[in-house]
Amino acid sequence: MFRRIGNVVVRHPVWTIVAWLIAAVAIVATAPSLPSNSDESSFLPKSYESIKAAELQEKAFPSAFTPSAIALYQRTDGGRLTAADRKDVARITSELGGKHIDQVQKVVPGQPSKDGKYAMTLVQMDSKNAGQPKQVDAAKELRKDVKDLAKGTHLDVKLGGSAAQALDQEDSSKRGQALIGIGTFVIILVTLLIIFRAPILAVLPLLLIGLVSAIANGLIAYATKLFDLQANSSISSILIVVLFGVGTDYFLFLMFRYRERLRAGDEPKQAMVNAVDRVGEAIASAAGAVIIAFLALVLSTLGFLKQMGPALAIAVGATLIAGLTLIPAVVSLIGPKVFWPSKSWQKEPENARFAALGRGVQRRPALTAVLSGLVLVVLSLGTLGFNATFDLASGSMPKTKESMVVQDEMQQAYSAGAAAPTDVYLSSTDGKPLDRAAFGAYAQKLGAVEGVANARMAQVNKAGTTADFTVTLKYEASTDKAIDAVGQVRDVAHSAAPDGTEALVGGMSSIFKDIDSAVTHDYRTVFPVAALLIMVILGLLLRSVVAPWYLIASVGLGFGATLGATVWIFQEGQGHSGLMFMLPVIMYLFVVAIGTDYNILMIARLREEAREGREPREAAGMALRHAGPTVAAAGFILAATFATMMLAGNALLTEMGFAVSFGIAVAAFVMAMFFTPSLTALIGHAAWWPGHGDQAKPTASGAGTGPSDASGGDGRDSVTHDPAGRRG
């Protein structure tokens, strides 16, 4: 199949390129916009209690005041507010309401702080558009207007709240994407220049993958609209590194093989056909593992991850097709001049370092397996200290952003939970009015829960069938203590509800509590499903039942090592209270799926060496010698590309960037180079049971169709050996 693809593409390169350009123009021109949603509650399905509570609140209290933005005032000298200052606050609040800004429904004064140093203006917006671009624009206008109104006073005013957080998150995301994009380009450009010493080869993947990126983003927008998925600004940053990192990997796999075919004496166009033929299965299998792992995210209960899974799968799918069609077409047009001015493509290098590493694995596979496995196990011990945090807003932007400063100052000036109180909705089950005489005792029981600052009955709906009890926690809504406390509030709210009533607990802490439950569900569902599907891919590629088990086990061990190292760096080293809650799910899929790429490349090359008649240990050594350079180059570029996410300046992408880049480095430089080949050498022929994938086959003339990696050799049909064991 891959030979046929190569023949068609190389025979008609211009038409292939034109088809890609037409597709790009059509998709980009017609694709819908991709809005961003930063409302955490929209990530949960309606079956969770916090979402049921939010729906009940909209029905029972449609005009209930829930601030979307908070203007926080303090004196410029930090002192107590004077009578004149309080008049200025009242004037600003009144004039702000009179501006009738789009999305703003009500503007009212808030309570002053107990120390008299702070005052607030509370702004209610349309709850149906929470986190949407309309409210982001409204927050931008509010921030400008409130600062203009405060000019000439002794007041310093800052805008916070969920709408302001969405605005700051969008600004931070744009800055982060720019830094990530620049960093990605520089890393790929410099690394490819060092590897090939050819400017055309360094620039070419950036141009081609840029075209693929435009197409992928359009297809993702179509899929998001078609399947009504949730969008989040962080996805765009992740897409950049996935497209350019994985795309460059596939470009490298193909170019190493193309260069090797030229060295073997193939005519340039035939060299590209043979390259696609020989490397196609490895690239397709690697991409298939990544796509399947990403698609496993549709089983997640979180809307954020449900969107991320298909989006990343589409991106990798587009990159795979480009790797087998667009890249070969363009390179076949340019020919060997693509390597200009370097002449290294004409001569096979000795690869002395990788040859030495290969000999080490060949002589002492048991020692290599134990040492590399021990490194992974020791790093995995850090997972025991893992703790999750759930504040997606503060995790996706720097603490210096205005809305984050407001959040921190409010925690100090007011009760930490005042900015996002918990609401307990008590409703009658028979439609009859509630017994108001029981409200006092019920509120008292809620207020007695550990971690609750106070609880009071706030309002009753017109029919008298639903009462809203406002519960203020002692802790900020996203902290572990607040999540534990709201769990106890739920227990008391349910158990203490009078006969004929039921209680639902809402608010941000309740949402975070449900997100915690959803993530736990995802760990138990997504992880094993993704692992099982990747094992199926490995089994089909290797025609083996044994090899997929220890390959996926080794990658799982790499995941543990990565999470452990991330815990030690950020929780123990930098003193973070925890890691972002979705990090293990994302890290598992990236490290397991993409990390499997390098195992696939190495094990495919090892099988090729075994088919040439070598015994398991010698095959492992030769596989490392010849596949090592490609794994090292591809692993370095991909790890460095993901590391650019640390430039974004927020906790979520910093943690994600470190974790994924470290995991890929472990997958390439520990698992693929040492752990996998040494284990395969120890297991021997049994690794290929029940098939006979390692058995030698008769030599055939011409370019064959057997699987291989992209490291440089071209299979038994095109390789000669000298007495020293060097490839011809």
Side-chain angles (χ1 to χ4, degrees), residues 36-40 164-174 232-234 392-394 396-397 401 403 652:
S36 176
N37 194 346
S38 60
D39 180 16
E40 283 90 343
Q165 287 176 355
L167 171 62
D168 290 341
Q169 187 176 353
E170 183 180 88
D171 291 340
S172 178
S173 176
K174 289 179 180 177
N232 186 274
S233 55
S234 297
L392 189 60
S394 63
S396 58
M397 72 184 97
K401 284 291 185 180
S403 58
L652 173 60

Side-chain angles (χ1 to χ4, degrees), residues 120-135:
M120 293 187 297
T121 294
L122 306 179
V123 181
Q124 179 178 327
M125 297 186 186
D126 187 352
S127 61
K128 295 179 181 179
N129 293 323
Q132 296 298 326
K134 289 182 179 179
Q135 290 201 1

Side-chain angles (χ1 to χ4, degrees), residues 488-501:
Q488 297 181 48
V489 169
R490 281 185 177 181
D491 292 339
V492 172
H494 298 159
S495 62
D499 293 339
T501 67

Side-chain angles (χ1 to χ4, degrees), residues 570-588:
F570 291 97
Q571 287 186 210
E572 305 298 332
Q574 297 189 10
H576 291 191
S577 61
L579 304 178
M580 291 305 296
F581 67 90
M582 81 281 283
L583 183 64
V585 176
I586 294 171
M587 189 172 66
Y588 174 85

